[in-house]
Amino acid sequence: MELFDKVKALTEIQATSGFEGPVRDYLKARMVELGYQPEFDGLGGIFVTKASKVENAPRIMIAAHMDEVGFMVSSIKADGTFRVVPLGGWNPLVVSGQRFTLFTRTGKKIPVVTGGLPPHLLRGTGVTPQIPAISDIIFDGAFENAAEAAEFGIAQGDLIIPETETILSANGKNIISKAWDNRYGCLMILELLEFLADKELPVTLIIGANVQEEVGLRGAKVSTTKFNPDLFFAVDCSPASDTFGDDNGRLGEGTTLRFFDPGHIMLPGMKNFLLDTADHAKVKTQVYMAKGGTDAGAAHLANGGVPSTTIGVVARYIHSHQTIFNLDDFLQAQTFLRAIITSLNTEKVAEIKNY
Ligand SMILES: [Zn+2]
């Protein structure tokens, strides 16, 4: 399969926090195809262990997250429209005028749009449009009334997830889709598993994907407890700022080195290891001073402390229906992760753990 087709397959899957099943099923099928036996944590995180033959081999965890930002139906109005609570961080300005899929409890898929107020209805009212609260935005499945919505099986607690077709940009270098945060990571771990299929390594690898990252790094807490790694590498996608007049996180400038995010500081041992490995493997990197966190923030505080980092890329307009990202950035991150994993051994891990 071509890289674009793999990206398209993963980014068009709809799965939000606490409802990761569709991505988990996809990952599981690919893992089994590649000859791995997936295991699950109690909240639905999926991981395979590639055990080393070396005695007391260090345990290295590499984790994506499966969830994308979405919504949950909080109420059904008499007119048959819905109101929601957000699952993950949403800018209210990108929610209106979009298409979504509502998933009922029994798995039925219902098309839904968010209603935006037409200019006609503002004319002459003297009202200036305000930034709406998420709780006020109208989600509309075009039902006659609440009773008809109920007949279609719709109820409070149903999930609503963006619907977007993934396409290639005109210059062929970039992709436009939803959910590159974090199907990027899901593709990275599948590609890594394929790359490692016939390799014997001096470290034991735990490779997979967490649940519920978008609602507060919850899945990473339980998976790191279960799998007890010595080092943790998140693979995740962060916002690019380049079109907003900021050089921090530019498309096409390579994989990110996150020395700092609000919930994680890279330790000196890890920093030296990453800089040396990137240099050696000739990987294009950019320093990224993050304003948000990743699962590395939760993992490094687990089990008495686990040195962690994120092997990342940036994408424009994340947490919306239309995200733009660069194919070469993905390839740089992939080269970097392969170089990292294949250069680890007991001595190297001890060096990295040296704070
Ligand atoms: Zn996110």
Side-chain angles (χ1 to χ4, degrees), residues 181 213-214 319:
D181 171 15
E213 191 269 353
E214 296 292 358
H319 289 211

Side-chain angles (χ1 to χ4, degrees), residues 180-182 184-185 235-239 258 310 312-315 318 323:
W180 192 230
D181 171 15
N182 187 15
Y184 150 75
V235 272
D236 206 346
C237 170
S238 300
R258 294 172 71 110
T310 305
V313 290
V314 295
I318 69 169
T323 293

Side-chain angles (χ1 to χ4, degrees), residues 2 29 67 103 132 197 250 261 339:
E2 291 290 309
D67 53 323
F103 290 77
R250 285 158 63 192
D261 80 36

Side-chain angles (χ1 to χ4, degrees), residues 89-294:
W90 279 96
N91 172 356
L93 287 176
V94 304
V95 179
S96 293
Q98 300 291 350
R99 189 179 288 188
F100 299 82
T101 310
L102 181 151
F103 290 77
T104 68
R105 188 168 61 81
T106 56
K108 213 191 286 177
K109 296 182 185 183
I110 309 279
V112 167
V113 300
T114 35
L117 191 60
H120 317 63
L121 300 185
L122 282 169
R123 230 168 264 152
T125 61
V127 173
T128 314
Q130 302 287 315
I131 296 175
I134 297 281
S135 54
D136 291 335
I137 294 174
I138 299 164
F139 284 72
D140 196 339
F143 294 105
E144 229 163 75
N145 49 41
E148 194 188 44
E151 273 170 39
F152 279 81
I154 293 160
Q156 286 168 300
D158 286 350
L159 287 318
I160 294 181
I161 307 174
E163 186 185 319
T164 302
E165 185 194 354
T166 298
I167 59 170
L168 203 57
S169 66
N171 64 13
K173 296 176 191 166
N174 303 306
I175 291 179
I176 303 170
S177 82
K178 69 168 181 67
W180 192 230
D181 171 15
N182 187 15
R183 306 302 153 68
Y184 150 75
C186 295
L187 185 55
M188 283 282 281
I189 59 120
L190 288 180
E191 295 280 290
L192 182 66
L193 286 171
E194 198 175 335
F195 171 75
L196 294 172
D198 52 4
K199 292 183 175 58
E200 287 286 341
L201 294 173
V203 291
T204 287
L205 299 174
I206 302 114
I207 303 175
N210 287 315
V211 295
Q212 299 192 36
E213 191 269 353
E214 296 292 358
V215 289
L217 320 180
R218 296 175 192 171
K221 290 175 192 157
V222 299
S223 67
T224 44
T225 309
K226 179 176 170 71
F227 293 103
N228 194 25
D230 294 294
L231 297 178
F232 178 93
F233 294 88
V235 272
D236 206 346
C237 170
S238 300
S241 307
D242 52 357
T243 49
F244 298 107
D246 186 343
D247 277 351
N248 189 30
R250 285 158 63 192
L251 220 62
E253 292 299 314
T255 186
T256 54
L257 292 169
R258 294 172 71 110
F259 298 145
F260 175 90
D261 80 36
H264 183 271
I265 294 164
M266 195 189 291
L267 297 178
M270 180 66 83
K271 190 173 181 177
N272 290 333
F273 170 65
L274 291 187
L275 289 171
D276 290 349
T277 307
D279 218 30
H280 207 252
K282 298 188 169 51
V283 176
K284 197 170 171 184
T285 59
Q286 55 179 324
V287 172
Y288 184 72
M289 304 307 269
K291 296 190 171 85
T294 73

Side-chain angles (χ1 to χ4, degrees), residues 277-336:
T277 307
D279 218 30
H280 207 252
K282 298 188 169 51
V283 176
K284 197 170 171 184
T285 59
Q286 55 179 324
V287 172
Y288 184 72
M289 304 307 269
K291 296 190 171 85
T294 73
D295 277 338
H300 85 298
L301 300 179
N303 300 349
V306 181
S308 302
T309 192
T310 305
I311 306 306
V313 290
V314 295
R316 292 175 184 163
Y317 325 120
I318 69 169
H319 289 211
S320 82
H321 281 63
Q322 311 295 347
T323 293
I324 297 178
F325 51 93
N326 182 263
L327 282 167
D328 187 58
D329 286 344
F330 176 82
L331 297 174
Q332 296 297 326
Q334 185 177 54
T335 304
F336 196 28

